[in-house]
Amino acid sequence: MTSTSTPPGLARFNDLEEHTALAVLHEACASTAWGKRLIAARPYATADDLYAASDAATATLTAEDLAEAMAGHPPIGRPRSGDPASAREQRGMAGASDELKAEMLELNLAYQEKFGHVFLICATGRTGEQMRDAAKERIGNSPEQERETVRTELGRINRIRLARLVEEDARP
């Protein structure tokens, strides 16, 4: 089914039973629609094929699908206990000052009050200050602008998480 040039993690993912593959994808993105679209397009010959399918699926997510995806993300500055992906991705807040953490908490609450969902940003490689500044800037967006910004950020997060799946063992 998969060629010898297919990365081992991707080959394992291609070979997983559907329910197991959906569980693996749910760890990357909590949107059921996104996961089902990626499953339907298996097998993937290359990581780029998987990323392209992810981008296409992310582009078609409805407002409800986006809400489901965002529900799987903890607020910035409060990674989920026992979730290594969350802690790794939010590393930029780990060494932040108490003042910056308090400011981020206030921004998270104000953002959630305005938009009705968690502030979603691809935190990988960003400092706490960069995340704070992005939250300050984005809180001024219209709901329509912010929905598209969230879609873009979700796509970035999904690609990073899928890259880990391709590079590592695909078993849950």
Side-chain angles (χ1 to χ4, degrees):
M1 182 182 287
T2 55
S3 73
T4 56
S5 64
T6 302
L10 183 58
R12 282 187 294 275
F13 171 72
N14 284 335
D15 291 339
L16 291 175
E17 291 186 32
E18 184 173 330
H19 72 278
T20 304
L22 279 170
V24 167
L25 289 174
H26 192 266
E27 291 298 314
C29 179
S31 167
T32 303
W34 177 85
K36 286 182 176 182
R37 286 184 185 105
L38 267 63
I39 293 298
R42 286 190 309 168
Y44 297 99
T46 68
D48 285 340
D49 293 341
L50 176 62
Y51 305 149
S54 174
D55 292 346
T58 302
T60 63
L61 294 179
T62 66
E64 293 79 20
D65 297 332
L66 284 171
E68 182 183 28
M70 286 183 288
H73 291 270
I76 294 296
R78 296 189 342 224
R80 283 199 184 97
S81 178
D83 180 355
S86 177
R88 179 179 53 253
E89 291 167 354
Q90 293 194 30
R91 192 173 306 150
M93 286 299 294
S97 68
D98 289 343
E99 182 180 333
L100 179 57
K101 287 178 182 178
E103 187 176 7
M104 197 68 223
L105 176 60
E106 288 178 29
L107 285 165
N108 278 329
L109 293 172
Y111 180 96
Q112 191 155 356
E113 176 72 24
K114 179 174 181 177
F115 295 110
H117 57 78
V118 68
F119 170 67
L120 186 72
I121 188 169
C122 183
T124 300
R126 293 187 191 217
T127 66
E129 291 82 2
Q130 289 170 324
M131 289 183 267
R132 176 205 55 211
D133 294 348
K136 283 182 175 181
E137 179 181 323
R138 286 174 47 192
I139 206 160
N141 283 349
S142 70
E144 296 78 18
Q145 289 172 312
E146 191 54 21
R147 185 171 32 260
E148 291 314 306
T149 300
V150 163
R151 185 184 307 278
T152 299
E153 294 297 319
L154 180 64
R156 289 178 181 146
I157 294 165
N158 291 350
R159 273 182 168 251
I160 289 168
R161 290 180 175 184
L162 288 172
R164 294 188 71 78
L165 176 125
V166 168
E167 294 165 8
E168 296 176 353
D169 193 339
R171 283 172 253 153

